[in-house]
Amino acid sequence: MPSLWPLAMTGRSTVTAFGAGTEALRRALHERRTGLAPCAFPGAPEGVWAGQVTGLEAAAPPPALSTFDCRNNRLAELALRSDDFEAAVAAARARHGADRIAVVVGTSTAGIEETERAYTRREPGADSLPGDFDYAHTHDLHALPRYLRQRLGLRGPAIAVSTACTSGARAVMEAAALIAAGVADAAVAGGVDSLCRLTLNGFASLELLSRGPCRPCAGDRDGIVIGEAAGLLLLERAEAAPRDALLLLGAGASSDGHHMSSPHPGGLGAVGAMRAALEAAGLGAAEIDYINLHGTGTRANDAMEDRAVHHLFGDSVPCSSTKGWTGHTLGASGAVEAVIAALCLEDGLVPGCLNVETPDPDFRAQVAAGANRAAPLRRVMSNSFGFGGSNCALILGRAS
Amino acid sequence: MKCWIGGLGVLGPGLPGWAASEAMLAGTQPWQMAEAAAAPPSILPPTERRRTGPTVRFALAAAAEATEREPDRGALETVFATSNGDGATIAGILDAMHTPDGAISPTLFHNSVHNAAAGYWHIAVGSTAPSVSLGGHDGTFAAGLLSAVTGVVARGRAVLLCAYDTPLPPPLAECRPTAFPFATAMVLRPAQVAGTRAALTLRYVAEPLAEPVPPTEGLDALAAGNPAARALPLLRALAARRETLIGLALDETAHLELQVTPC
């Protein structure tokens, strides 16, 4: 069987509530500064917060690709322009050929915000959507990978993964499989999700939205704050990459098979995904130095994840959620947090949950809160869980 | 890439299940257009069953048929491929949000995720195996097949592929026409076992598919009416146990080349 891991991360880019580029995110992590604010998004429920990205008005697609214009693809466009990502892909294209680079990206919202605008733009009494609304290039899930593929001049397979809030992490696993199976030599992988009325009002209907900045792992946490983001990784076989490149050491996925929107209370699926990631990376639990939790800030998720982490790691591995900074960026979170894991490895950083002085007293895992800690990190795990009982864990590190 | 196919399911116009449709797909019996329907999935517990709409029902019917002879269907990894997702649910939420005082139902919201059918499937069969859901517009079946075969080859595990789509309600239907509901499912394996129907070799080609003039009548014409029905040339080759070379478009710039070799 072909070897799936390790893969080298030879490019990366993020767009978050802190703006375009990973340096803005890095600074905010160190300064313990949140990107969350009272939600000003049109049509959002009253009194909720959001992690909104500003500057999208200047991120229109190039004229030749203007049919793809929508909030989701503008986030993707901004990510391409940041962190020298476009140049990194161009270099990979020169190395491998455009046919050999896949685009595998996750999204849960795609460009549905454009559809919401089309509904609002209808003439009074009209049922039909405006004639200029382009479903295929905006609302359709495939609009995102098609846009990235055309914009980057790539000719490998384009796949849109949509597994709710694991989409960004799950896309990385799919990209790894395409490379292992020999379909591609490199992949642009990750996730993009944009604010829209559907997710803001949908999570409100489930009474899962916090009334202030979210406080993952706090005893009195009261829900999520939705953010929007783009996280893109350029992945290649490790042997083709510089020796000091950060590596994806392994990944694992599982299903809960339990309930559509509530996690298995014992964390069965989460344990399965984390265990599968450790097996894929050939690592024991003691070899993980920090876990970036899914840590959404809901009662159920954080309690389940604490049980699952404690089951595998006891209280010996520090863990925390960084959603107090970015909000829950849904289908982008797995990719954005893979980049956060990379930053933690680079900077020797264990970020303590933001806006949380002490973790929930019922939690038994070693939750870092209150302040950031400096620690030499060799391997970091990043968790993502989602509706439909989807679970995924990634492990990042350096060559040992 | 190479894998083996065995265990098939289909539900579409005039195609009420693989077993009932095999001769029609093989061309040894006449096919007639008839409306397709999917019953509430009996494999789900009653509380969950009530929450499923037509899209999930079509997907689960095909997946259940394809895995009927599996000793442990919960052990299968899954790939669920759909272009429109649960379009009726998404349209219901969009309508509610654009109606004064319209409220979204929580069940409607969690059913709106693209991986809803996968979620219900794994609940139905009590499966904790990995699952991925994806979309690919008109190339959705090809994208699902590529992902499933890649999974078989890269991880050496059997994968259940389920591709399904149902028509969107208005006003989205005008922007994204889907002529009828269609679902198909197949079990793909890394090795030949008893009951394996064919070997499948798959190759990604970064060139447009040179498509012949699409058929305008009969069973073959169905392929154009639903992204999941793009599976028909493969299903027909499998039913006829005929060695066949098939081109399957991923989009207007790339396609898959499939070589089907009956066992």
Side-chain angles (χ1 to χ4, degrees):
Chain A
M1 231 171 13
S3 162
L4 277 153
W5 312 104
L7 287 176
M9 194 193 288
T10 53
R12 65 173 188 218
S13 180
T14 54
V15 175
T16 62
F18 302 106
T22 302
E23 285 315 301
L25 175 61
R26 187 200 298 267
R27 274 198 306 278
L29 282 170
H30 283 285
E31 292 167 8
R32 299 187 59 72
R33 181 165 42 81
T34 187
L36 309 180
C39 181
F41 199 79
E46 291 283 319
V48 303
W49 284 49
Q52 188 166 347
V53 173
T54 54
L56 292 178
E57 57 285 344
L65 298 174
S66 63
T67 51
F68 285 99
D69 195 8
C70 64
R71 192 172 185 90
N72 216 53
N73 288 336
R74 284 185 178 224
L75 282 163
E77 171 65 27
L78 211 47
L80 295 186
R81 296 184 195 170
S82 308
D83 293 339
D84 296 323
F85 193 78
E86 218 180 320
V89 174
R93 201 176 56 211
R95 280 198 295 281
H96 304 294
D99 294 13
R100 299 292 301 168
I101 304 180
V103 177
V104 189
V105 278
T107 184
S108 75
T109 61
I112 197 163
E113 198 265 343
E114 196 65 22
T115 315
E116 294 172 359
R117 284 171 187 258
Y119 269 72
T120 310
R121 286 196 289 130
R122 279 183 296 187
E123 299 289 334
D127 290 328
S128 293
L129 297 175
D132 61 356
F133 169 60
D134 190 330
Y135 178 99
H137 292 89
T138 62
H139 177 117
D140 196 278
L141 284 177
H142 209 222
L144 175 65
R146 277 175 80 192
Y147 178 67
L148 288 168
R149 183 174 181 268
Q150 288 191 40
R151 176 70 174 70
L152 292 166
L154 301 177
R155 289 161 48 85
I159 292 179
V161 170
S162 193
T163 50
C165 299
T166 63
S167 299
R170 203 63 178 80
V172 169
M173 281 187 75
E174 286 297 297
L178 284 171
I179 294 171
V183 181
D185 294 321
V188 172
V192 183
D193 245 16
S194 39
L195 284 180
C196 59
R197 291 165 71 169
L198 189 144
T199 51
L200 286 162
N201 291 285
F203 279 104
S205 78
L206 289 164
E207 299 179 348
L208 289 177
L209 291 187
S210 171
R211 307 303 293 177
C214 62
R215 301 171 63 244
C217 301
D220 59 351
R221 64 191 179 276
D222 70 339
I224 70 170
V225 167
I226 298 178
E228 61 187 341
L232 297 178
L233 313 177
L234 177 61
L235 303 175
E236 302 177 60
R237 291 187 186 92
E239 58 268 23
R243 285 170 59 106
D244 60 345
L246 276 173
L247 302 177
L248 269 154
L249 299 172
S254 75
S255 302
D256 273 0
H258 169 71
H259 187 267
M260 285 303 287
S261 56
S262 304
H264 186 279
L268 187 69
V271 167
M274 288 190 281
R275 189 173 275 152
L278 288 169
E279 278 169 21
L283 294 170
E287 294 176 279
I288 300 298
D289 300 317
Y290 164 63
I291 303 166
N292 189 275
L293 301 171
H294 187 53
T296 58
T298 65
R299 306 294 315 168
N301 175 81
D302 296 4
M304 171 285 288
E305 192 170 12
D306 171 69
R307 277 193 284 276
V309 167
H310 186 266
H311 180 81
L312 280 178
F313 299 93
D315 61 358
S316 62
V317 179
C319 57
S320 68
S321 162
T322 45
K323 288 189 169 66
W325 276 267
T326 58
H328 187 357
T329 61
L330 309 180
S333 63
V336 168
E337 286 159 26
V339 174
I340 290 178
L343 293 177
C344 293
L345 283 160
E346 287 168 0
D347 295 358
L349 171 69
V350 173
C353 295
L354 201 57
N355 301 318
V356 183
E357 284 312 308
T358 50
D360 189 323
D362 292 338
F363 283 12
R364 295 193 294 159
Q366 189 198 132
V367 177
N372 290 350
R373 238 189 278 164
L377 305 179
R378 289 162 304 158
R379 299 179 196 93
V380 173
M381 177 179 274
S382 172
N383 283 345
S384 302
F385 311 123
F387 280 1
S390 177
N391 309 296
C392 189
L394 306 177
I395 300 175
L396 290 87
R398 290 191 190 279
S400 47
Chain B
M1 295 192 288
K2 187 174 184 182
C3 68
W4 277 262
I5 301 186
L8 294 154
V10 68
L11 189 58
L15 300 170
W18 177 264
S21 311
E22 195 172 347
M24 291 183 266
L25 289 164
T28 55
Q29 269 181 27
W31 168 83
Q32 277 196 321
M33 189 73 177
E35 201 172 318
S42 56
I43 54 171
L44 268 174
T47 47
E48 302 290 348
R49 194 183 309 157
R50 278 196 298 275
R51 294 182 178 142
T52 61
T55 309
V56 171
R57 291 175 183 186
F58 268 87
L60 264 55
E65 187 184 26
T67 54
E68 252 168 16
R69 293 188 186 147
E70 287 295 316
D72 179 11
R73 47 189 172 187
L76 296 170
E77 293 191 6
T78 63
V79 173
F80 280 77
T82 175
S83 172
N84 301 342
D86 197 335
T89 296
I90 292 163
I93 295 175
L94 286 165
D95 283 341
M97 286 196 304
H98 293 86
T99 305
D101 303 319
I104 302 178
S105 111
T107 302
L108 217 52
F109 178 58
H110 78 218
N111 275 351
S112 76
V113 294
H114 203 72
N115 58 321
Y120 281 112
W121 170 257
H122 284 265
I123 292 170
V125 300
S127 169
T128 57
S131 173
V132 69
S133 294
L134 53 84
H137 198 58
D138 286 343
T140 289
F141 176 71
L145 188 64
L146 175 62
S147 171
V149 176
T150 300
V152 171
V153 171
R155 293 188 287 273
R157 302 267 308 266
V159 174
L160 166 65
L161 167 65
C162 179
Y164 58 99
D165 263 303
T166 53
L168 294 167
L172 293 175
E174 297 165 35
C175 313
R176 176 62 172 153
T178 308
F180 46 78
F182 194 96
T184 182
M186 51 193 68
V187 180
L188 307 169
R189 297 178 195 283
Q192 192 175 346
V193 297
T196 296
R197 183 164 286 250
L200 173 69
T201 309
L202 178 150
R203 191 168 72 91
Y204 172 80
V205 186
E207 298 294 337
L209 178 66
E211 283 194 82
V213 180
T216 54
E217 54 186 308
L219 186 49
D220 293 321
L222 284 183
N226 182 307
R230 303 290 201 283
L232 274 167
L234 174 60
L235 298 178
R236 300 205 67 171
L238 292 167
R241 298 176 191 273
R242 188 171 57 223
E243 178 141 13
T244 314
L245 192 65
I246 298 165
L248 200 56
L250 279 153
D251 61 19
E252 55 286 346
T253 67
H255 70 279
L256 300 179
E257 191 183 87
L258 313 180
Q259 171 76 48
V260 182
T261 310
C263 292

